[in-house]
Each structure stands twice: as structure tokens, then as C-alpha cells.
Amino acid sequence: MRKLVDFCGATRRLLSVLFIGTLCQLPADAMADASTKKGGQWWAGYHTGVMTDGRAHEMFIPNDVELVDAYLAGVIVGYERQIGDSRFSYGAEFQANAHFGQDGFYEIAIPAVLRYHPEKSWWDAFDSFAFALGGSHYSEISALEKEIYGESRRNLFYWYIETEFKTRDPKSSLFARIHHRSNAWDAVEPNGGSNAFVLGFRKKF
């Protein structure tokens, strides 16, 4: 039997991190948007998250999501480049993640990224949102994924949805993600997959 993690407590911790990020913000017109450099931008960061027992569509319905005693933490290196004079950028990243708790193994994920920086935002701290698609490799079959789907595999498709938030340092930001693995509607067999809520920090250089 999996040990359920208190959803309200995890939500409060997430909101606390985002609130701290808000306190650190500067007005949007005073920030130098380093992500729009036409020459491209390298960045490095780290993230940590908690796994859920739900499927992708349930991640957007809080009442249907249960957090479980399974976690991930990892480091990320990425590169992004502005698309012409648009508000969009494209890039890629490399993740090396450790999974612990119910499962214990490492994960390598390599997605391509499409990011959008709105010209005006309802919240000054909000900087961008992004969608990434690629692949994920587990060093072992996940017990959690087998519980959810009845089967799984080490290599699956991977995507994330991300919102990014500014800090006082124009080259640093916080982000929140949904971290998802699946077989992409039976594109590979056997079936399997998992989802996590993730928070992270990145630094451009």
C-alpha cells in the first residue's frame, strides 16, 4: 500500500515558493529579458518534485490527484534561442534525475522546448510558459508506473508544461512544471507512464 502524501501541505509549500518569488520580483519594464538574446542562451538549474498516482488529464483536476511517496530531484542544462523577432524561442535541455521513495533509480530526459514570453502579463512576476517534448529513460522499471498501468517500460515519451517566474536577478528564474511520461497513445508497447508536480530554479549564463 502506497503512503499518501498530504495534498494540502504540498500545495501550501508550492504556493509559498511562488509567493517568495513574487516578493523578489521587479516591475516588468525594469527587467532585462535575457531569454530574448538573438544569439541564444545557455542555462543550468535544478528541480525537485513529487509523483502522483493519476494520469495526465487528471493533473489539471485537483480533486482527482493524489500525491504518493515517490519523488524526483535532478539537475538540468538547457539552451534556447529566440525565433526571429517573435516572442517565441526554441531549444532543448538535458535532465539527470534521481527518483527515490517508493522507487529508487535514475532518469535521463532530453526534450525539445518551445517557449512563449507574453508582451504583457496579468502578473508582473510571470515571465513565460513552455511546452517540451522528447524522451525519458529510466534505469529500472518503475513500480509506481506498473501500479498505475499494470505494466511499464524503461523508455517512454516525455513532455512537460512549464510556467516561469522572474526574480530580482534578470538571469535567474523559478519555474513550476508538470513532468509527464507515457507511451504516446500506444506509439510504443507495453503501456506505462507517470506524472509529477515539479518546482525548480534556473540561471542563465
Side-chain angles (χ1 to χ4, degrees), residues 2 52-55 143-150 193-195:
R2 286 173 292 148
T52 78
D53 71 347
R55 305 200 179 193
L144 174 62
E145 292 183 348
K146 290 184 69 175
E147 285 186 18
I148 297 171
Y149 288 90
S194 58
N195 297 281

Side-chain angles (χ1 to χ4, degrees), residues 108-123:
I108 300 297
I110 304 176
V113 182
L114 179 65
R115 184 176 303 279
Y116 177 69
H117 292 266
E119 185 173 0
K120 295 182 179 179
S121 174
W122 59 272
W123 187 16

Side-chain angles (χ1 to χ4, degrees), residues 95-148:
Q95 300 179 19
N97 302 316
H99 287 253
F100 53 97
Q102 178 176 337
D103 280 318
F105 49 77
Y106 71 81
E107 174 189 12
I108 300 297
I110 304 176
V113 182
L114 179 65
R115 184 176 303 279
Y116 177 69
H117 292 266
E119 185 173 0
K120 295 182 179 179
S121 174
W122 59 272
W123 187 16
D124 285 344
F126 177 75
D127 189 50
S128 74
F129 59 87
F131 176 76
L133 178 64
S136 166
H137 168 78
Y138 278 1
S139 61
E140 298 178 11
I141 299 293
S142 167
L144 174 62
E145 292 183 348
K146 290 184 69 175
E147 285 186 18
I148 297 171

Side-chain angles (χ1 to χ4, degrees), residues 53-179:
D53 71 347
R55 305 200 179 193
H57 67 279
E58 296 173 334
M59 298 294 283
F60 302 96
I61 309 172
N63 290 339
D64 292 344
V65 175
E66 290 183 341
L67 307 182
V68 299
D69 186 23
Y71 311 90
L72 69 89
V75 294
I76 317 171
V77 175
Y79 175 83
E80 293 186 20
R81 185 184 183 94
Q82 184 180 357
I83 301 175
D85 293 323
S86 73
R87 307 295 299 179
F88 289 90
S89 63
Y90 68 94
E93 67 179 53
F94 173 86
Q95 300 179 19
N97 302 316
H99 287 253
F100 53 97
Q102 178 176 337
D103 280 318
F105 49 77
Y106 71 81
E107 174 189 12
I108 300 297
I110 304 176
V113 182
L114 179 65
R115 184 176 303 279
Y116 177 69
H117 292 266
E119 185 173 0
K120 295 182 179 179
S121 174
W122 59 272
W123 187 16
D124 285 344
F126 177 75
D127 189 50
S128 74
F129 59 87
F131 176 76
L133 178 64
S136 166
H137 168 78
Y138 278 1
S139 61
E140 298 178 11
I141 299 293
S142 167
L144 174 62
E145 292 183 348
K146 290 184 69 175
E147 285 186 18
I148 297 171
Y149 288 90
E151 57 187 356
S152 191
R153 52 182 288 136
R154 293 168 61 189
N155 299 312
L156 286 169
F157 289 96
Y158 167 72
W159 59 252
Y160 70 70
I161 297 173
E162 176 192 289
T163 53
E164 182 183 27
F165 303 90
K166 298 174 181 176
T167 68
R168 286 190 177 274
D169 179 357
K171 289 193 173 184
S172 299
S173 61
L174 302 171
F175 60 83
R177 292 178 175 179
I178 293 175
H179 180 100

